[in-house]
Amino acid sequence: PGGQVVCLELSKPVWQPFKSIYYFYFERILPNLGKLFAKRYEQYKWLPESLKAFPDQNQLAAVYREIGLRDVRAYPLTGGIAALHIGTKGTEEA
């Protein structure tokens, strides 16, 4: 109880036009760069698809609150492509 949970996770940018540019790069260019340089296309194609299903920073903060973390804060980083979440464990099981 009272310990902090800190999580740095990919997120979803919300500000236009950055959001459009980011998704164009992430969905169209990155998989082809992976194919060209790492000889891996499917792994780099899977990542953008996975991110679409992953909760955004506000949804992830809500999940943390649901499991019992208190004082949950989310800080968008790098234009929102990542987010730092911080919460405090309550006295109950979480």
Side-chain angles (χ1 to χ4, degrees), residues 20-53:
S20 297
I21 294 167
Y22 171 74
Y23 278 109
F24 177 78
Y25 167 79
F26 205 47
E27 294 173 346
R28 307 285 180 165
I29 296 174
L30 182 65
N32 288 314
L33 289 175
K35 182 179 181 180
L36 180 66
F37 293 110
K39 307 296 187 233
R40 303 273 191 263
Y41 178 78
E42 289 303 317
Q43 289 87 336
Y44 287 89
K45 185 177 183 300
W46 169 85
L47 188 58
E49 293 169 0
S50 173
L51 182 60
K52 286 180 185 177

Side-chain angles (χ1 to χ4, degrees), residues 8-86:
L8 177 63
E9 192 61 76
L10 285 177
S11 193
K12 301 172 184 176
V14 295
W15 179 72
Q16 291 290 2
F18 180 68
K19 179 179 178 179
S20 297
I21 294 167
Y22 171 74
Y23 278 109
F24 177 78
Y25 167 79
F26 205 47
E27 294 173 346
R28 307 285 180 165
I29 296 174
L30 182 65
N32 288 314
L33 289 175
K35 182 179 181 180
L36 180 66
F37 293 110
K39 307 296 187 233
R40 303 273 191 263
Y41 178 78
E42 289 303 317
Q43 289 87 336
Y44 287 89
K45 185 177 183 300
W46 169 85
L47 188 58
E49 293 169 0
S50 173
L51 182 60
K52 286 180 185 177
F54 195 78
D56 66 25
Q57 70 182 27
N58 295 324
Q59 293 167 328
L60 190 55
V63 169
Y64 289 166
R65 288 183 192 98
E66 287 173 18
I67 65 167
L69 294 177
R70 298 178 290 118
D71 304 321
V72 175
R73 298 173 310 281
Y75 301 96
L77 305 170
T78 320
I81 64 172
L84 178 67
H85 290 79
I86 301 173

